[in-house]
Amino acid sequence: MLKGEQTRRKILEKAAPLFNKRGFNGCSMQDISAATGLEKGSLYTHFHNKEELASEAFDTAWAQSSKARVDNLDQASGSIEKLKLHIDNFVSKPPFAGGCPLLNATMDSDDGNLALFQRARKAFNGWVAFLSQTIEQGQKSGELNPSVDPEALSTLVISLLEGASFTSRLQKSKAPLRMAQQHLNQYLEEAVRNIPA
């Protein structure tokens, strides 16, 4: 890896948790400069502006969060178990510093940061596609009910988890996340698993 690429990666690794914790407006280039030990001018050598840095920092945070949620899915047998394990990873593994990057970026981009909003929407669509693929595989194998809409189920899973994450943060308790997990697991068994007549 070239020195310039190493420096760029270092900036992103330091900037990702700062933006995720403080938001776009709450994190200054001076904050990034202090965290990296680089002059602000050096930051602008690698990123045209704060918006570009924040967008790429989100990508870094999202990649790390996503990896933690899918890393062990190959250990699960069947689509239902993969979905349950994915849900458990979301609930039990420590979130990225500052919480779920997707939730944070979506809320942060609500003030008109179009670049960040587009990154968050792309991440959401990728998550839906990943879960939909798992569901479709289960339908092909006969494990999952063929009448289930993969995209709708994926959106439901994400919505419940992200909503529970939001509530857990407000209540400073894991209870809402555990309730969402319990409900989703029951739903997967009762409404999604294909039970032959």
Side-chain angles (χ1 to χ4, degrees):
M1 188 183 296
L2 298 174
K3 188 177 179 189
E5 290 173 0
Q6 287 177 328
T7 302
R8 197 169 206 280
R9 182 171 287 185
K10 175 187 171 185
I11 294 168
L12 288 170
E13 285 172 0
K14 297 288 186 181
L18 288 176
F19 278 116
N20 199 48
K21 288 178 187 174
R22 301 179 188 175
F24 181 79
N25 292 326
C27 183
S28 69
M29 291 299 273
Q30 185 58 47
D31 294 330
I32 309 294
S33 175
T36 59
L38 299 169
E39 296 294 326
K40 280 193 342 187
S42 181
L43 297 177
Y44 287 113
T45 300
H46 297 279
F47 300 92
H48 292 102
N49 52 41
K50 181 181 169 185
E51 191 173 75
E52 180 185 5
L53 175 55
S55 295
E56 292 196 34
F58 165 75
D59 289 345
T60 299
W62 181 244
Q64 289 181 29
S65 295
S66 298
K67 186 176 187 304
R69 294 173 186 168
V70 302
D71 246 3
N72 58 351
L73 294 191
D74 58 344
Q75 297 170 14
S77 59
S79 295
I80 293 282
E81 293 309 312
K82 280 185 182 174
L83 291 168
K84 285 182 177 181
L85 184 54
H86 182 69
I87 291 163
D88 187 62
N89 287 341
F90 186 98
V91 172
S92 63
K93 291 193 175 184
F96 189 82
C100 179
L102 179 59
L103 180 62
N104 291 344
T106 301
M107 301 306 285
D108 198 26
S109 64
D110 207 27
D111 64 358
N113 187 330
L114 185 59
L116 194 55
F117 177 78
Q118 289 172 337
R119 295 287 172 113
R121 185 157 59 185
K122 181 180 176 188
F124 173 79
N125 290 339
W127 193 1
V128 168
F130 171 78
L131 292 177
S132 293
Q133 184 180 30
T134 303
I135 294 161
E136 288 164 5
Q137 287 169 350
Q139 288 175 320
K140 284 177 188 166
S141 72
E143 182 190 1
L144 272 63
N145 187 328
S147 68
V148 169
D149 180 331
E151 189 173 331
L153 177 56
S154 300
T155 302
L156 175 69
V157 168
I158 294 167
S159 298
L160 237 65
L161 290 175
E162 289 292 7
S165 177
F166 171 78
T167 308
S168 286
R169 282 168 68 175
L170 278 176
Q171 295 182 349
K172 297 194 180 303
S173 165
K174 280 261 192 180
L177 276 167
R178 291 194 190 101
M179 282 189 286
Q181 180 179 20
Q182 184 179 5
H183 177 77
L184 284 169
N185 285 348
Q186 185 176 349
Y187 183 76
L188 289 172
E189 289 296 344
E190 294 177 0
V192 178
R193 187 181 288 280
N194 192 21
I195 301 168

